[in-house]
Structures are given as C-alpha cells and as structure tokens.
Amino acid sequence: MVKRFFLVLLLSTKTVFAADVELNARQALTKMTNAMRVLNYQGTVAFLRNGKLETMKYFHAAEKGIEQERLLSLNSPLREIIRDADKVSCLFKSTQQAVVDHRPVGHSFLVDVPQDLDELSAVYDFKMAGEEDVAMLPAYVIAIQPKDDFRYVRKIWIEKQQFLPLKVAVYDLSGTVLEQVVFTDLEVKEALPFVEAKFGDATENVKHIHQLQAQASDQAAFVVNNLPSGFEEIFFTRRPIHNSNQPVDHLLLSDGFAAVSVYMENKNTAMQQGLQSVGAVNSFSRTIDDWQLTVMGEVPAKTVKFIAEGIKLRH
C-alpha cells in the first residue's frame, strides 16, 4: 500500500511538472513579447542566413507605446535600416541609394511571436528545453515544436532577468540549423533616442515600394484551396512590380510564426518553374493558363508545393 501511494504521488508530480513546464514556456514567450515592445535596449547581433554571416549594431527605442528598431551594418555594404511600425527605411551609405518599404504588417528584425499562443496549440508544442548562457547572460531555452512537417522547428533563448531574446534559431526537420539570430552583447538602457531616416542628397534616389493599402482577398485572381492547418490569410495587395505597369497579386499567409507569400503575375518565358531553395526559404512556381504562380516562404519545400498545387483561378 505504501509503495502504491508513493507511485501515485510520483506520477501525479510528473503530470503537474509537465503542465508547469508548458505553462512556463508560454509565460516566458509572453513576457518576451512585452519586453521587446516596452524596453529600450541595444547590442551587437549576428544574423546567419543563406550561409552568410552578418554582424550589425541593433537599437530598440520605446516611449508611450511607440517603437523604433534600427540596424547599422558593421561591414560592407554599409547601410542603416530603420523600422517605424510598418515602414522600413534602408539607406546604402556608399551609393546613397535609399529604399522605403511600406509594409501592411510590421515585423521585428529579431523575432515575431503571436500574442495569443493558445490559438497555436493545435499546430505547435511549447516546451522548456533547458538553460544556457548567451552573450554571458543566463537564458531559458524555449523549444517551439510543430506537430506536423509543414513548418520548421524553432528555439528561442530568453534572458532570465529582462526576458529579451538573446538567440533565435530555425531548424529543418532533420535538426540542421537553417537560420540564426544571436546577440554577442546586449544592454538595457533607461532611454534611447528615436532617429529620423535622413536621406540627404539621396532624396531623388529614394525608391518607395508596397505603398498600396491591403485589399480584400476576394479580389485576387486566384483561390487557395490547400492550406496546412493553422495557416490563415493576413493581407492581400495588387500592385505593379518589376518596374512595369503589369499588376501582381500578392497574398500573405501565416500560422503565427511561419509566413508564406503567394504571387500571381502574367506569364513570362524567362521565369523559372518548379522548386527553388535558398537557406530556410523555399519557393515553388508553376503556370496556370496565362499566369505565373509562385508560392514562397520560410517553410519546408513540401509546404509551398502543397499550397501551390491547390491554387486555382477564380471564375
């Protein structure tokens, strides 16, 4: 009887601990999203993408609900990138060329985590995966594990005191690292200045893109029939592209972490067909009558192919 009592107690303790681990992981992610929004902080961050490593100075200023992110490259090509909400300005120092991207949805340079993690419980598991030091700071390791093979595994290292992200990694289904964002030093400040994007002599060389407002997706020339569980339509736009007057339909899909873009434009014989892969990004292109369809995103190849093959023309 005594042995049975202790066995039941042990199993009950394990069940409670497992629930606490999942709850703590979600709490840590929620605290992180809040800290990223309200704190002033700066540091040096390394971006590993497409097999290339780039180190940049990072600044985040926040005051009364207003945020600004800024990146300064430390190596060629020298450039400054500023994000104010959904507007991203990039100035190339050597050529004085500037690009202003008006995005319908603002995205952090570091990592985006949905506000409501409960909605993602059907497609992701959130778990504490241990503790490690990053940039000489102790951090919780949060594993974001998909429940299917339509999306990548992610891990986020969250600093224990301020709950800022110190490292973000994206893995393919075999466990190979595809992308990383890692701070080599990070400092929280009482305040940081907001910087205005000053183009100087580059005013005439400023290129504005994505200036159109989001439109209703039922205006798209196509219909998406195949969507992996959890993916939803975020916004749709129709705009000219490739320096021409030919319109391109663009539909953005997301499951909260992974984003997929669907493009449809007039068919061009020079356009590539089939699957293309660059780092974590996969794309799949095919023709539908006189249209060229491309599905692209930071998801496995299976996902873009699955979505593309289910797209039909709207009648």
Short mmCIF file of all heavy atoms in Angstrom, two decimals, residues 123-187:
data_model
loop_
_atom_site.label_atom_id
_atom_site.label_comp_id
_atom_site.label_asym_id
_atom_site.label_seq_id
_atom_site.Cartn_x
_atom_site.Cartn_y
_atom_site.Cartn_z
N VAL A 123 -1.15 23.31 -33.55
CA VAL A 123 -0.09 23.03 -34.53
C VAL A 123 1.32 23.11 -33.94
O VAL A 123 2.28 22.67 -34.58
CB VAL A 123 -0.19 23.98 -35.74
CG1 VAL A 123 -1.44 23.66 -36.55
CG2 VAL A 123 -0.21 25.43 -35.31
N TYR A 124 1.49 23.67 -32.72
CA TYR A 124 2.80 23.77 -32.10
C TYR A 124 2.74 23.32 -30.63
O TYR A 124 1.74 23.54 -29.95
CB TYR A 124 3.32 25.22 -32.12
CG TYR A 124 3.78 25.73 -33.46
CD1 TYR A 124 2.97 26.58 -34.22
CD2 TYR A 124 5.04 25.38 -33.97
CE1 TYR A 124 3.40 27.07 -35.44
CE2 TYR A 124 5.47 25.87 -35.19
CZ TYR A 124 4.65 26.71 -35.92
OH TYR A 124 5.08 27.20 -37.14
N ASP A 125 3.84 22.73 -30.17
CA ASP A 125 4.07 22.48 -28.75
C ASP A 125 5.11 23.47 -28.26
O ASP A 125 6.10 23.74 -28.96
CB ASP A 125 4.57 21.06 -28.50
CG ASP A 125 3.45 20.03 -28.59
OD1 ASP A 125 2.33 20.35 -28.16
OD2 ASP A 125 3.71 18.91 -29.08
N PHE A 126 4.93 24.02 -27.05
CA PHE A 126 5.87 24.95 -26.45
C PHE A 126 6.46 24.31 -25.20
O PHE A 126 5.71 23.94 -24.29
CB PHE A 126 5.17 26.26 -26.09
CG PHE A 126 4.50 26.92 -27.26
CD1 PHE A 126 3.15 26.68 -27.52
CD2 PHE A 126 5.19 27.75 -28.10
CE1 PHE A 126 2.50 27.27 -28.59
CE2 PHE A 126 4.56 28.35 -29.19
CZ PHE A 126 3.22 28.11 -29.43
N LYS A 127 7.79 24.17 -25.17
CA LYS A 127 8.41 23.46 -24.06
C LYS A 127 9.68 24.16 -23.60
O LYS A 127 10.40 24.77 -24.40
CB LYS A 127 8.76 22.02 -24.47
CG LYS A 127 7.56 21.17 -24.83
CD LYS A 127 7.98 19.76 -25.23
CE LYS A 127 6.77 18.90 -25.57
NZ LYS A 127 7.16 17.53 -25.99
N MET A 128 9.95 24.07 -22.30
CA MET A 128 11.24 24.46 -21.77
C MET A 128 12.26 23.40 -22.17
O MET A 128 12.06 22.22 -21.91
CB MET A 128 11.19 24.58 -20.26
CG MET A 128 10.47 25.81 -19.75
SD MET A 128 11.48 27.29 -20.00
CE MET A 128 10.51 28.48 -19.05
N ALA A 129 13.34 23.83 -22.81
CA ALA A 129 14.35 22.88 -23.30
C ALA A 129 15.67 23.02 -22.55
O ALA A 129 16.71 22.56 -23.03
CB ALA A 129 14.57 23.07 -24.79
N GLY A 130 15.64 23.68 -21.40
CA GLY A 130 16.85 23.81 -20.60
C GLY A 130 17.23 25.26 -20.38
O GLY A 130 16.44 26.18 -20.62
N GLU A 131 18.46 25.44 -19.90
CA GLU A 131 19.00 26.78 -19.65
C GLU A 131 20.43 26.83 -20.17
O GLU A 131 21.20 25.89 -20.00
CB GLU A 131 18.97 27.09 -18.15
CG GLU A 131 17.57 27.08 -17.55
CD GLU A 131 17.57 27.38 -16.05
OE1 GLU A 131 18.66 27.69 -15.52
OE2 GLU A 131 16.50 27.29 -15.43
N GLU A 132 20.79 27.93 -20.81
CA GLU A 132 22.13 28.12 -21.35
C GLU A 132 22.52 29.58 -21.22
O GLU A 132 21.67 30.44 -21.00
CB GLU A 132 22.20 27.69 -22.82
CG GLU A 132 21.93 26.22 -23.07
CD GLU A 132 21.98 25.86 -24.55
OE1 GLU A 132 22.33 26.76 -25.37
OE2 GLU A 132 21.66 24.71 -24.90
N ASP A 133 23.82 29.86 -21.36
CA ASP A 133 24.32 31.23 -21.38
C ASP A 133 24.51 31.68 -22.82
O ASP A 133 25.08 30.95 -23.64
CB ASP A 133 25.64 31.35 -20.63
CG ASP A 133 25.46 31.18 -19.12
OD1 ASP A 133 24.31 31.29 -18.65
OD2 ASP A 133 26.47 30.94 -18.43
N VAL A 134 24.04 32.88 -23.12
CA VAL A 134 24.26 33.50 -24.42
C VAL A 134 24.73 34.92 -24.16
O VAL A 134 24.12 35.65 -23.38
CB VAL A 134 22.98 33.52 -25.28
CG1 VAL A 134 23.25 34.21 -26.62
CG2 VAL A 134 22.46 32.11 -25.51
N ALA A 135 25.83 35.32 -24.80
CA ALA A 135 26.41 36.65 -24.57
C ALA A 135 26.70 36.85 -23.08
O ALA A 135 26.52 37.95 -22.55
CB ALA A 135 25.50 37.75 -25.10
N MET A 136 27.12 35.78 -22.40
CA MET A 136 27.47 35.77 -20.97
C MET A 136 26.27 36.10 -20.09
O MET A 136 26.43 36.55 -18.96
CB MET A 136 28.63 36.75 -20.70
CG MET A 136 29.91 36.40 -21.44
SD MET A 136 31.27 37.52 -21.08
CE MET A 136 31.59 37.12 -19.35
N LEU A 137 25.06 35.85 -20.60
CA LEU A 137 23.84 36.08 -19.84
C LEU A 137 23.06 34.77 -19.74
O LEU A 137 22.90 34.07 -20.74
CB LEU A 137 22.98 37.15 -20.50
CG LEU A 137 23.57 38.56 -20.58
CD1 LEU A 137 22.70 39.45 -21.48
CD2 LEU A 137 23.69 39.17 -19.19
N PRO A 138 22.55 34.42 -18.55
CA PRO A 138 21.78 33.19 -18.41
C PRO A 138 20.43 33.32 -19.12
O PRO A 138 19.78 34.37 -19.06
CB PRO A 138 21.60 33.05 -16.89
CG PRO A 138 21.74 34.45 -16.37
CD PRO A 138 22.71 35.14 -17.26
N ALA A 139 20.03 32.24 -19.77
CA ALA A 139 18.80 32.29 -20.58
C ALA A 139 18.02 30.99 -20.47
O ALA A 139 18.59 29.91 -20.29
CB ALA A 139 19.15 32.57 -22.04
N TYR A 140 16.69 31.12 -20.58
CA TYR A 140 15.82 29.97 -20.76
C TYR A 140 15.83 29.59 -22.24
O TYR A 140 15.83 30.47 -23.11
CB TYR A 140 14.38 30.30 -20.36
CG TYR A 140 14.19 30.72 -18.92
CD1 TYR A 140 13.86 32.04 -18.60
CD2 TYR A 140 14.32 29.80 -17.89
CE1 TYR A 140 13.67 32.43 -17.29
CE2 TYR A 140 14.14 30.19 -16.56
CZ TYR A 140 13.82 31.49 -16.27
OH TYR A 140 13.63 31.88 -14.96
N VAL A 141 15.82 28.30 -22.52
CA VAL A 141 15.73 27.82 -23.90
C VAL A 141 14.31 27.32 -24.13
O VAL A 141 13.86 26.38 -23.47
CB VAL A 141 16.73 26.70 -24.20
CG1 VAL A 141 16.69 26.33 -25.67
CG2 VAL A 141 18.14 27.11 -23.78
N ILE A 142 13.60 27.97 -25.05
CA ILE A 142 12.23 27.60 -25.36
C ILE A 142 12.19 26.91 -26.72
O ILE A 142 12.66 27.46 -27.71
CB ILE A 142 11.30 28.83 -25.41
CG1 ILE A 142 11.48 29.69 -24.15
CG2 ILE A 142 9.86 28.41 -25.59
CD1 ILE A 142 11.12 29.01 -22.87
N ALA A 143 11.67 25.68 -26.74
CA ALA A 143 11.53 24.94 -27.99
C ALA A 143 10.11 25.07 -28.50
O ALA A 143 9.14 24.88 -27.75
CB ALA A 143 11.87 23.47 -27.77
N ILE A 144 9.99 25.43 -29.78
CA ILE A 144 8.69 25.56 -30.44
C ILE A 144 8.63 24.46 -31.49
O ILE A 144 9.22 24.57 -32.57
CB ILE A 144 8.52 26.95 -31.05
CG1 ILE A 144 8.71 28.03 -29.98
CG2 ILE A 144 7.16 27.10 -31.72
CD1 ILE A 144 8.83 29.43 -30.51
N GLN A 145 7.95 23.39 -31.15
CA GLN A 145 7.97 22.16 -31.95
C GLN A 145 6.67 22.01 -32.73
O GLN A 145 5.59 21.94 -32.15
CB GLN A 145 8.16 20.95 -31.04
CG GLN A 145 8.24 19.62 -31.76
CD GLN A 145 9.57 19.41 -32.45
OE1 GLN A 145 10.61 19.77 -31.90
NE2 GLN A 145 9.53 18.84 -33.64
N PRO A 146 6.73 21.97 -34.07
CA PRO A 146 5.50 21.78 -34.85
C PRO A 146 4.98 20.36 -34.69
O PRO A 146 5.74 19.41 -34.47
CB PRO A 146 5.94 22.05 -36.29
CG PRO A 146 7.41 21.78 -36.30
CD PRO A 146 7.91 22.15 -34.94
N LYS A 147 3.66 20.22 -34.82
CA LYS A 147 3.03 18.91 -34.70
C LYS A 147 2.87 18.21 -36.05
O LYS A 147 2.30 17.13 -36.12
CB LYS A 147 1.66 19.06 -34.03
CG LYS A 147 1.74 19.55 -32.58
CD LYS A 147 0.37 19.62 -31.93
CE LYS A 147 0.47 20.04 -30.48
NZ LYS A 147 -0.86 20.11 -29.81
N ASP A 148 3.36 18.85 -37.12
CA ASP A 148 3.36 18.23 -38.44
C ASP A 148 4.64 18.62 -39.15
O ASP A 148 5.50 19.30 -38.58
CB ASP A 148 2.11 18.64 -39.24
CG ASP A 148 1.99 20.15 -39.40
OD1 ASP A 148 3.03 20.83 -39.49
OD2 ASP A 148 0.85 20.67 -39.43
N ASP A 149 4.80 18.21 -40.40
CA ASP A 149 6.03 18.51 -41.14
C ASP A 149 5.81 19.61 -42.18
O ASP A 149 6.54 19.70 -43.16
CB ASP A 149 6.59 17.25 -41.81
CG ASP A 149 5.57 16.54 -42.69
OD1 ASP A 149 4.43 17.04 -42.79
OD2 ASP A 149 5.91 15.51 -43.28
N PHE A 150 4.81 20.48 -41.93
CA PHE A 150 4.56 21.62 -42.82
C PHE A 150 5.27 22.88 -42.36
O PHE A 150 5.16 23.91 -43.00
CB PHE A 150 3.06 21.90 -42.91
CG PHE A 150 2.32 20.97 -43.81
CD1 PHE A 150 1.40 20.06 -43.29
CD2 PHE A 150 2.51 20.98 -45.18
CE1 PHE A 150 0.70 19.19 -44.11
CE2 PHE A 150 1.83 20.12 -46.02
CZ PHE A 150 0.93 19.22 -45.48
N ARG A 151 5.99 22.82 -41.23
CA ARG A 151 6.66 24.02 -40.70
C ARG A 151 7.94 23.60 -39.98
O ARG A 151 8.14 22.43 -39.67
CB ARG A 151 5.71 24.81 -39.80
CG ARG A 151 5.09 24.01 -38.69
CD ARG A 151 3.72 24.54 -38.31
NE ARG A 151 2.68 23.74 -38.94
CZ ARG A 151 1.51 24.21 -39.37
NH1 ARG A 151 1.23 25.49 -39.22
NH2 ARG A 151 0.62 23.43 -39.93
N TYR A 152 8.80 24.59 -39.71
CA TYR A 152 10.10 24.32 -39.11
C TYR A 152 10.04 24.33 -37.58
O TYR A 152 9.13 24.89 -36.98
CB TYR A 152 11.12 25.38 -39.54
CG TYR A 152 11.51 25.34 -41.01
CD1 TYR A 152 11.53 26.51 -41.76
CD2 TYR A 152 11.88 24.15 -41.61
CE1 TYR A 152 11.91 26.49 -43.10
CE2 TYR A 152 12.26 24.12 -42.95
CZ TYR A 152 12.27 25.29 -43.69
OH TYR A 152 12.64 25.27 -45.00
N VAL A 153 11.07 23.72 -36.99
CA VAL A 153 11.28 23.80 -35.55
C VAL A 153 11.98 25.12 -35.23
O VAL A 153 12.85 25.57 -35.99
CB VAL A 153 12.14 22.62 -35.06
CG1 VAL A 153 12.43 22.73 -33.57
CG2 VAL A 153 11.45 21.29 -35.38
N ARG A 154 11.62 25.73 -34.12
CA ARG A 154 12.27 26.96 -33.68
C ARG A 154 12.68 26.85 -32.22
O ARG A 154 12.03 26.17 -31.43
CB ARG A 154 11.33 28.16 -33.85
CG ARG A 154 11.17 28.62 -35.28
CD ARG A 154 10.05 29.63 -35.42
NE ARG A 154 10.10 30.31 -36.71
CZ ARG A 154 9.69 29.80 -37.85
NH1 ARG A 154 9.16 28.59 -37.86
NH2 ARG A 154 9.77 30.47 -38.98
N LYS A 155 13.77 27.53 -31.88
CA LYS A 155 14.17 27.67 -30.48
C LYS A 155 14.48 29.13 -30.21
O LYS A 155 15.05 29.83 -31.07
CB LYS A 155 15.39 26.81 -30.15
CG LYS A 155 15.10 25.32 -30.04
CD LYS A 155 16.34 24.56 -29.58
CE LYS A 155 16.06 23.07 -29.46
NZ LYS A 155 17.27 22.33 -29.02
N ILE A 156 14.10 29.59 -29.03
CA ILE A 156 14.37 30.96 -28.62
C ILE A 156 15.04 30.95 -27.25
O ILE A 156 14.53 30.31 -26.33
CB ILE A 156 13.09 31.81 -28.57
CG1 ILE A 156 12.37 31.78 -29.94
CG2 ILE A 156 13.41 33.26 -28.18
CD1 ILE A 156 11.06 32.55 -29.95
N TRP A 157 16.18 31.63 -27.13
CA TRP A 157 16.88 31.76 -25.87
C TRP A 157 16.47 33.11 -25.26
O TRP A 157 16.74 34.17 -25.83
CB TRP A 157 18.39 31.73 -26.09
CG TRP A 157 18.94 30.36 -26.37
CD1 TRP A 157 19.70 29.59 -25.53
CD2 TRP A 157 18.83 29.60 -27.59
NE1 TRP A 157 20.05 28.41 -26.13
CE2 TRP A 157 19.52 28.38 -27.40
CE3 TRP A 157 18.19 29.81 -28.82
CZ2 TRP A 157 19.62 27.40 -28.39
CZ3 TRP A 157 18.27 28.83 -29.80
CH2 TRP A 157 18.97 27.65 -29.58
N ILE A 158 15.81 33.08 -24.10
CA ILE A 158 15.26 34.28 -23.48
C ILE A 158 16.03 34.60 -22.20
O ILE A 158 16.11 33.77 -21.29
CB ILE A 158 13.77 34.10 -23.15
CG1 ILE A 158 12.99 33.75 -24.43
CG2 ILE A 158 13.21 35.35 -22.51
CD1 ILE A 158 11.52 33.46 -24.19
N GLU A 159 16.59 35.79 -22.13
CA GLU A 159 17.37 36.24 -20.96
C GLU A 159 16.48 36.24 -19.71
O GLU A 159 15.33 36.67 -19.75
CB GLU A 159 17.93 37.63 -21.24
CG GLU A 159 19.02 38.06 -20.28
CD GLU A 159 18.45 38.79 -19.08
OE1 GLU A 159 17.42 39.48 -19.23
OE2 GLU A 159 19.03 38.65 -17.98
N LYS A 160 17.02 35.73 -18.60
CA LYS A 160 16.21 35.43 -17.42
C LYS A 160 15.70 36.67 -16.68
O LYS A 160 14.62 36.62 -16.08
CB LYS A 160 17.01 34.57 -16.44
CG LYS A 160 17.20 33.13 -16.88
CD LYS A 160 17.89 32.33 -15.78
CE LYS A 160 18.01 30.87 -16.14
NZ LYS A 160 18.63 30.08 -15.05
N GLN A 161 16.44 37.77 -16.71
CA GLN A 161 16.05 38.93 -15.92
C GLN A 161 15.09 39.85 -16.66
O GLN A 161 14.03 40.20 -16.16
CB GLN A 161 17.31 39.71 -15.49
CG GLN A 161 18.24 38.92 -14.59
CD GLN A 161 17.57 38.55 -13.27
OE1 GLN A 161 16.88 39.36 -12.66
NE2 GLN A 161 17.79 37.31 -12.83
N GLN A 162 15.47 40.25 -17.86
CA GLN A 162 14.66 41.21 -18.62
C GLN A 162 13.74 40.54 -19.63
O GLN A 162 12.88 41.19 -20.22
CB GLN A 162 15.58 42.20 -19.36
CG GLN A 162 16.52 42.98 -18.46
CD GLN A 162 15.79 44.02 -17.62
OE1 GLN A 162 14.62 44.30 -17.84
NE2 GLN A 162 16.50 44.59 -16.64
N PHE A 163 13.94 39.25 -19.88
CA PHE A 163 13.12 38.46 -20.82
C PHE A 163 13.22 38.96 -22.26
O PHE A 163 12.25 38.91 -23.01
CB PHE A 163 11.66 38.42 -20.36
CG PHE A 163 11.43 37.49 -19.20
CD1 PHE A 163 11.57 37.93 -17.90
CD2 PHE A 163 11.13 36.15 -19.41
CE1 PHE A 163 11.39 37.08 -16.82
CE2 PHE A 163 10.94 35.28 -18.35
CZ PHE A 163 11.07 35.74 -17.05
N LEU A 164 14.42 39.42 -22.63
CA LEU A 164 14.67 39.78 -24.02
C LEU A 164 15.26 38.58 -24.76
O LEU A 164 15.97 37.76 -24.17
CB LEU A 164 15.63 40.96 -24.10
CG LEU A 164 15.06 42.31 -23.67
CD1 LEU A 164 16.17 43.35 -23.58
CD2 LEU A 164 13.98 42.78 -24.64
N PRO A 165 14.99 38.46 -26.06
CA PRO A 165 15.55 37.34 -26.83
C PRO A 165 17.05 37.53 -27.06
O PRO A 165 17.47 38.58 -27.54
CB PRO A 165 14.77 37.38 -28.14
CG PRO A 165 14.39 38.81 -28.29
CD PRO A 165 14.14 39.33 -26.90
N LEU A 166 17.84 36.53 -26.71
CA LEU A 166 19.28 36.58 -26.93
C LEU A 166 19.69 35.80 -28.18
O LEU A 166 20.72 36.09 -28.78
CB LEU A 166 20.02 36.01 -25.73
CG LEU A 166 19.90 36.79 -24.42
CD1 LEU A 166 20.58 36.03 -23.28
CD2 LEU A 166 20.52 38.18 -24.56
N LYS A 167 18.87 34.83 -28.55
CA LYS A 167 19.20 33.98 -29.69
C LYS A 167 17.92 33.37 -30.23
O LYS A 167 17.02 33.00 -29.48
CB LYS A 167 20.18 32.89 -29.27
CG LYS A 167 20.59 31.91 -30.36
CD LYS A 167 21.59 30.90 -29.82
CE LYS A 167 21.98 29.85 -30.84
NZ LYS A 167 22.94 28.86 -30.28
N VAL A 168 17.84 33.28 -31.55
CA VAL A 168 16.71 32.64 -32.23
C VAL A 168 17.28 31.73 -33.30
O VAL A 168 18.14 32.14 -34.07
CB VAL A 168 15.76 33.67 -32.87
CG1 VAL A 168 14.58 32.97 -33.53
CG2 VAL A 168 15.27 34.68 -31.84
N ALA A 169 16.81 30.49 -33.35
CA ALA A 169 17.30 29.54 -34.34
C ALA A 169 16.14 28.83 -35.00
O ALA A 169 15.14 28.51 -34.37
CB ALA A 169 18.24 28.52 -33.69
N VAL A 170 16.29 28.60 -36.31
CA VAL A 170 15.30 27.87 -37.10
C VAL A 170 15.97 26.60 -37.62
O VAL A 170 17.08 26.65 -38.16
CB VAL A 170 14.79 28.71 -38.28
CG1 VAL A 170 13.79 27.93 -39.13
CG2 VAL A 170 14.15 30.00 -37.77
N TYR A 171 15.31 25.45 -37.45
CA TYR A 171 15.87 24.16 -37.82
C TYR A 171 14.96 23.47 -38.84
O TYR A 171 13.73 23.59 -38.78
CB TYR A 171 15.98 23.23 -36.60
CG TYR A 171 16.77 23.78 -35.45
CD1 TYR A 171 16.17 24.65 -34.53
CD2 TYR A 171 18.10 23.43 -35.25
CE1 TYR A 171 16.89 25.15 -33.45
CE2 TYR A 171 18.82 23.92 -34.17
CZ TYR A 171 18.21 24.78 -33.28
OH TYR A 171 18.92 25.28 -32.21
N ASP A 172 15.58 22.71 -39.76
CA ASP A 172 14.76 21.89 -40.65
C ASP A 172 14.33 20.62 -39.91
O ASP A 172 14.67 20.42 -38.73
CB ASP A 172 15.48 21.58 -41.95
CG ASP A 172 16.71 20.68 -41.77
OD1 ASP A 172 16.87 20.08 -40.69
OD2 ASP A 172 17.50 20.58 -42.72
N LEU A 173 13.62 19.75 -40.59
CA LEU A 173 13.04 18.59 -39.93
C LEU A 173 14.08 17.57 -39.50
O LEU A 173 13.81 16.70 -38.67
CB LEU A 173 12.00 17.94 -40.86
CG LEU A 173 10.85 18.86 -41.27
CD1 LEU A 173 9.90 18.14 -42.21
CD2 LEU A 173 10.11 19.38 -40.06
N SER A 174 15.30 17.68 -40.04
CA SER A 174 16.38 16.77 -39.64
C SER A 174 17.22 17.33 -38.50
O SER A 174 18.13 16.66 -38.01
CB SER A 174 17.29 16.47 -40.84
OG SER A 174 18.01 17.63 -41.23
N GLY A 175 16.93 18.57 -38.07
CA GLY A 175 17.67 19.19 -36.98
C GLY A 175 18.80 20.09 -37.40
O GLY A 175 19.52 20.63 -36.56
N THR A 176 18.97 20.29 -38.71
CA THR A 176 20.02 21.17 -39.22
C THR A 176 19.61 22.63 -39.04
O THR A 176 18.48 23.01 -39.36
CB THR A 176 20.29 20.90 -40.70
OG1 THR A 176 20.68 19.54 -40.87
CG2 THR A 176 21.40 21.81 -41.24
N VAL A 177 20.53 23.47 -38.55
CA VAL A 177 20.25 24.90 -38.38
C VAL A 177 20.17 25.58 -39.74
O VAL A 177 21.10 25.50 -40.54
CB VAL A 177 21.33 25.58 -37.51
CG1 VAL A 177 21.05 27.07 -37.41
CG2 VAL A 177 21.37 24.96 -36.13
N LEU A 178 19.07 26.27 -39.99
CA LEU A 178 18.87 26.99 -41.25
C LEU A 178 19.16 28.48 -41.09
O LEU A 178 19.72 29.11 -41.99
CB LEU A 178 17.44 26.79 -41.74
CG LEU A 178 17.04 25.36 -42.10
CD1 LEU A 178 15.55 25.29 -42.41
CD2 LEU A 178 17.86 24.85 -43.27
N GLU A 179 18.74 29.05 -39.97
CA GLU A 179 18.95 30.48 -39.71
C GLU A 179 19.19 30.68 -38.22
O GLU A 179 18.67 29.93 -37.39
CB GLU A 179 17.73 31.30 -40.13
CG GLU A 179 17.51 31.41 -41.62
CD GLU A 179 16.37 32.37 -41.96
OE1 GLU A 179 15.70 32.83 -41.02
OE2 GLU A 179 16.17 32.67 -43.14
N GLN A 180 19.97 31.72 -37.92
CA GLN A 180 20.19 32.10 -36.53
C GLN A 180 20.29 33.61 -36.40
O GLN A 180 20.81 34.29 -37.29
CB GLN A 180 21.48 31.48 -35.97
CG GLN A 180 21.40 30.02 -35.62
CD GLN A 180 22.59 29.56 -34.80
OE1 GLN A 180 22.53 29.48 -33.58
NE2 GLN A 180 23.69 29.29 -35.46
N VAL A 181 19.79 34.11 -35.29
CA VAL A 181 19.99 35.50 -34.88
C VAL A 181 20.54 35.44 -33.47
O VAL A 181 19.89 34.89 -32.57
CB VAL A 181 18.67 36.30 -34.90
CG1 VAL A 181 18.91 37.73 -34.45
CG2 VAL A 181 18.04 36.27 -36.29
N VAL A 182 21.76 35.96 -33.25
CA VAL A 182 22.43 35.81 -31.96
C VAL A 182 23.03 37.15 -31.51
O VAL A 182 23.77 37.78 -32.27
CB VAL A 182 23.56 34.76 -32.02
CG1 VAL A 182 24.12 34.50 -30.62
CG2 VAL A 182 23.09 33.47 -32.65
N PHE A 183 22.70 37.56 -30.29
CA PHE A 183 23.35 38.73 -29.70
C PHE A 183 24.70 38.32 -29.12
O PHE A 183 24.81 37.31 -28.42
CB PHE A 183 22.49 39.33 -28.58
CG PHE A 183 21.44 40.28 -29.05
CD1 PHE A 183 20.12 39.85 -29.23
CD2 PHE A 183 21.75 41.60 -29.33
CE1 PHE A 183 19.15 40.73 -29.67
CE2 PHE A 183 20.78 42.49 -29.76
CZ PHE A 183 19.47 42.05 -29.94
N THR A 184 25.74 39.12 -29.41
CA THR A 184 27.04 38.91 -28.77
C THR A 184 27.20 39.80 -27.55
O THR A 184 28.04 39.55 -26.70
CB THR A 184 28.18 39.19 -29.77
OG1 THR A 184 28.06 40.54 -30.25
CG2 THR A 184 28.10 38.23 -30.95
N ASP A 185 26.39 40.86 -27.47
CA ASP A 185 26.28 41.69 -26.27
C ASP A 185 24.93 42.39 -26.31
O ASP A 185 24.39 42.66 -27.38
CB ASP A 185 27.43 42.70 -26.16
CG ASP A 185 27.44 43.69 -27.32
OD1 ASP A 185 26.65 44.65 -27.28
OD2 ASP A 185 28.22 43.50 -28.27
N LEU A 186 24.37 42.64 -25.14
CA LEU A 186 23.06 43.26 -25.05
C LEU A 186 22.98 44.10 -23.79
O LEU A 186 23.40 43.66 -22.71
CB LEU A 186 21.95 42.19 -25.03
CG LEU A 186 20.51 42.70 -24.97
CD1 LEU A 186 20.16 43.49 -26.23
CD2 LEU A 186 19.55 41.54 -24.79
N GLU A 187 22.47 45.32 -23.92
CA GLU A 187 22.39 46.25 -22.79
C GLU A 187 21.04 46.95 -22.78
O GLU A 187 20.59 47.47 -23.80
CB GLU A 187 23.51 47.29 -22.91
CG GLU A 187 23.57 48.28 -21.75
CD GLU A 187 24.68 49.30 -21.93
OE1 GLU A 187 25.27 49.36 -23.03
OE2 GLU A 187 24.93 50.07 -20.98
#
